[in-house]
Amino acid sequence: MEEHRRISAMGRKFIVITAVRGEIPHTDDAPKFGPLTSQGTLLGWVKDSVAVREGILEEDDEVGLLLDRTNFYAEQGGQVGDSGTLRTPTGTFEIDDTHKFGDAILHLGRVTNGILEVGQPATLEVGGIRPHTMRNHTATHLLNWALREVLGDHIDQKGSLVDADKTRFDFT
């Protein structure tokens, strides 16, 4: 089991946030249904389970960014969160994953160039795999519909995993 965990985690970085001290602002994620490029404002970040609403991030800092609005889809309902890039006038942040935390969307990743400051305008660019993930998400809904049509209404979806490469559909 340990070997499986090691292999599964290779190449992936995790930032786990279970509780946060400080105010977490609401993120408007309605733009996730629009273009893959959008604008937002950097409101702060979460680091070491503390919400930070002022200051500067420097190169290689790993945090969960907080924005006023985002076009990134957060992991939910079995679908993986988006990845991509955020650019401000003074720096670049590579987003590895996106998670929902209450009413906020956390953009998990690190500063790869320059610095980021609270209050800066930001350009958000969702990575190119989103269309593949969307197709697989649609396939999950179609599979659920087809199973219910063929086998009956007693079919019950119990979970799924949807990413750019596949969809896994669990049902009873």
Side-chain angles (χ1 to χ4, degrees):
M1 192 62 172
E2 237 2 87
E3 178 69 6
H4 171 72
R5 283 189 193 107
R6 186 186 67 74
I7 291 170
S8 293
M10 286 177 73
R12 293 185 67 189
K13 289 191 174 188
F14 296 93
I15 298 175
V16 177
I17 299 171
T18 56
V20 173
R21 293 189 319 268
E23 181 188 343
I24 302 289
H26 168 79
T27 307
D28 174 10
D29 67 345
K32 71 185 176 189
F33 299 112
L36 297 180
T37 300
S38 151
Q39 304 296 313
T41 302
L42 180 58
L43 300 179
W45 51 85
V46 174
K47 184 171 185 174
D48 299 326
S49 296
V50 175
V52 177
R53 300 291 303 273
E54 61 184 15
I56 295 174
L57 287 173
E58 297 178 341
E59 201 164 314
D60 292 327
D61 281 345
E62 292 188 34
V63 298
L65 289 184
L66 298 164
L67 303 163
D68 66 334
R69 55 188 291 124
T70 185
N71 59 330
F72 279 65
Y73 186 92
E75 180 177 323
Q76 58 189 339
Q79 183 170 327
V80 298
D82 282 333
S83 60
T85 306
L86 174 141
R87 289 182 177 73
T88 72
T90 59
T92 304
F93 188 87
E94 289 300 322
I95 300 167
D96 298 322
D97 203 356
T98 312
H99 287 258
K100 193 166 180 63
F101 191 83
D103 289 333
I105 305 297
L106 292 171
H107 302 77
L108 307 175
R110 72 180 185 88
V111 180
T112 57
N113 183 38
I115 63 168
L116 303 181
E117 286 186 71
V118 171
Q120 284 186 310
T123 299
L124 297 97
E125 298 175 26
V126 175
I129 65 169
R130 157 101 62 91
H132 303 295
T133 303
M134 289 172 61
R135 278 192 289 277
N136 287 337
H137 183 92
T138 299
T140 300
H141 289 286
L142 291 172
L143 181 57
N144 187 30
W145 173 82
L147 286 169
R148 293 172 75 78
E149 280 292 308
V150 173
L151 300 176
D153 288 341
H154 65 284
I155 297 299
D156 191 20
Q157 181 178 351
K158 292 295 184 184
S160 64
L161 171 65
V162 179
D163 63 21
D165 298 322
K166 66 188 170 304
T167 184
R168 187 198 74 222
F169 184 84
D170 306 329
F171 68 98
T172 59

